[in-house]
Amino acid sequence: MENKYKHMDYIQSAISRMASNSFYLKGWNVTIIAAIVALSFKESDWRIYACALVLNVVFWFLDAYYLKQEKLFRELYNKVSQISDDNLIDFSMNTSEFKEKVSAIPCIMIKNISITPLYLSISVVLLVLIHIV
């Protein structure tokens, strides 16, 4: 079972990278949006807030993409964990067979509890700023 555990370790490493990327995206998004809003209070131009809103949506999309990849690798991990014969391990990292099991990126953007509240709240604040200015 050495091959099985090694393969599972590779998959877990990929899952950890995806989660780490998602964490960094959230941090960068909050930092960049906060900097844009703080620096634009002097000029108060709605176009600056609109650019920040577009940037927020881009980060939201990227975060959903990494979350989708993480879910795909979790499905692969579950599949490999069910294998009982060590000779059947091929060390494949192909997740294409699980695409039907994982939601599309726009659905993840709207429905996922780990990303939707953050990005939606930032979007609402930026929309309010756009309408105030």
Side-chain angles (χ1 to χ4, degrees), residues 5-6 11-12 16 20 23 31-32 35 46 64 75 77 80 98-99 107-108 123-124:
Y5 295 133
K6 193 64 171 174
I11 298 168
Q12 183 58 45
S16 296
S20 177
F23 176 77
T31 303
I32 292 171
W46 68 270
E75 291 291 333
Y77 186 92
V80 171
F98 308 110
K99 288 191 178 189
C107 292
I108 293 172
S123 295
V124 167

Side-chain angles (χ1 to χ4, degrees), residues 33-52:
I33 299 296
I36 290 172
V37 169
L39 294 173
S40 67
F41 268 156
K42 211 180 255 186
E43 296 183 21
S44 291
D45 188 4
W46 68 270
R47 290 176 285 203
I48 295 172
Y49 299 128
C51 289

Side-chain angles (χ1 to χ4, degrees), residues 30-121:
V30 170
T31 303
I32 292 171
I33 299 296
I36 290 172
V37 169
L39 294 173
S40 67
F41 268 156
K42 211 180 255 186
E43 296 183 21
S44 291
D45 188 4
W46 68 270
R47 290 176 285 203
I48 295 172
Y49 299 128
C51 289
L53 181 62
V54 169
L55 187 62
N56 185 57
V57 172
V58 168
F59 274 104
W60 193 353
F61 180 84
L62 284 171
D63 204 352
Y65 170 78
Y66 282 120
L67 189 58
K68 179 178 180 171
Q69 294 303 314
E70 182 181 339
K71 289 180 179 194
L72 288 169
F73 280 111
R74 284 183 186 183
E75 291 291 333
L76 179 62
Y77 186 92
N78 290 337
K79 177 187 173 191
V80 171
S81 70
Q82 301 297 320
I83 297 174
S84 58
D85 186 5
D86 203 37
N87 294 326
L88 296 176
I89 302 298
D90 61 355
F91 293 96
S92 172
M93 297 294 275
N94 185 5
T95 59
S96 61
E97 66 183 277
F98 308 110
K99 288 191 178 189
E100 297 84 33
K101 290 184 177 182
V102 177
S103 300
I105 292 173
C107 292
I108 293 172
M109 287 175 71
I110 301 300
K111 295 180 181 178
N112 191 281
I113 192 71
S114 68
I115 63 172
T116 302
L118 173 71
Y119 293 103
L120 187 60
S121 63

Side-chain angles (χ1 to χ4, degrees), residues 11-27:
I11 298 168
Q12 183 58 45
S13 175
I15 292 169
S16 296
R17 278 194 310 275
M18 297 304 144
S20 177
N21 288 342
S22 180
F23 176 77
Y24 288 133
L25 278 173
K26 286 179 183 77

